[in-house]
C-alpha cells in the first residue's frame, strides 16, 4: 500500500519541528545545555515559545530529538523492507542495530553532549518509547492473523529491550554493576559494544516473535 505524500500543512509542521531541534542542538553545543532556554530556541527557530511548546515539552526533549529524529520511523521502515522469508526476530534486531549503531559524526558529537547531563540522558532513554507505535503497525501488517494486541505487545517489548541496552551501554563510571544508577549523575561513559548490548537485550524476545509467526503459517 502506497502512502500518500504529506500535505502542505504537514510539511510546514515538519519544517518547524526540524528548525526547533536543530536550533536546540546548535545552541546547546555553543553555550552548554544549562545555558539554553526555551525562549532562546524558539527565537533561533523563528517561532514563539508557545509554538515551541506545541512540539516539545522541554529543552532536553528538543536537544535529544536532533539526534533521534525519525529513528523510530526508520526502524519500522527497515523491518517492512525485509523480505517476507526473513525471520521477523532477525528483521527487527538488524533494523534496530542499524539505526542505533550506524551514526554519523554529527550524531556522535551530540551523543557526547547528551551523556554529560542527567536530564539529557533521561530524555534520550525516554525517546525509546517512540519505537512502539510505528513498529506495532509494521508487525501487525506482517502478522495479519496474530491480532493487534500481539503486535503491540511485541513492539512495546522491543522498545523496552532497547532502553535496557542503552542503560547498560551508558553506565556511570564506577557504578557499572549498579542497576538504575543512571539517574544519580556523575560521569557516564559508553560501555562495550552497543550492537552487542542491543543483540543481548533483544535475544529473549525471539521465541515470542517465532511463536507469533508460527501462528499465522498454514
Amino acid at each position: 500500500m502506497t502512502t500518500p505524500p504529506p500535505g502542505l500543512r504537514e510539511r510546514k509542521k515538519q519544517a518547524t519541528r526540524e528548525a526547533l531541534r536543530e536550533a536546540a542542538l546548535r545552541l546547546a553545543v555553543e553555550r552548554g545545555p544549562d545555558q539554553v532556554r526555551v525562549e532562546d530556541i524558539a527565537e533561533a527557530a523563528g517561532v514563539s515559545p508557545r509554538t515551541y511548546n506545541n512540539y516539545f515539552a522541554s529543552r532536553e526533549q528538543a536537544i535529544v530529538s536532533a539526534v533521534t529524529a525519525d529513528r523510530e520511523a526508520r526502524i519500522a521502515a527497515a523491518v517492512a523492507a525485509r523480505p517476507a522469508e526473513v525471520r521477523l526476530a532477525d528483521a527487527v534486531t538488524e533494523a534496530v542495530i542499524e539505526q542505533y549503531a550506524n551514526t554519523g559524526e554529527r550524531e556522535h558529537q551530540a551523543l557526547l553532549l547528551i551523556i554529560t547531563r542527567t536530564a539529557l540522558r533521561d530524555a534520550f532513554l525516554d525517546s525509546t518509547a517512540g519505537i512502539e507505535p510505528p513498529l506495532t503497525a509494521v508487525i501487525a501488517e506482517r502478522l495479519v492473523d496474530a491480532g493487534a494486541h500481539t503486535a503491540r505487545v511485541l513492539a512495546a517489548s522491543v522498545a523496552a529491550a532497547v532502553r535496557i541496552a542503552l542503560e547498560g551501554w551508558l553506565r556511570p563510571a564506577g557504578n557499572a554493576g549498579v542497576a538504575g544508577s543512571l539517574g544519580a549523575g556523575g560521569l557516564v561513559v559508553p560501555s562495550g559494544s552497543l550492537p552487542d548490548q542491543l543483540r543481548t537485550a533483544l535475544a529473549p524476545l525471539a521465541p515470542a516473535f517465532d511463536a507469533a509467526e508460527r501462528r499465522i503459517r498454514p
Side-chain angles (χ1 to χ4, degrees), residues 80-91:
R82 297 297 198 276
E85 60 269 19
V86 173
R87 182 178 174 226
L88 185 54
D90 293 336

Side-chain angles (χ1 to χ4, degrees), residues 2 12 16 26-27 59 71 76 78 85 93 95 97 111 119 121 125 129-130 137 177 190 192-193 204-205 209 216:
T2 302
K12 286 184 176 179
T16 299
R26 176 173 57 80
L27 292 174
R59 66 181 178 186
R71 178 180 283 164
E85 60 269 19
T93 298
I97 291 174
L111 184 59
R121 294 198 304 269
L125 292 172
S193 163
L205 304 182
F209 275 106
I216 66 168

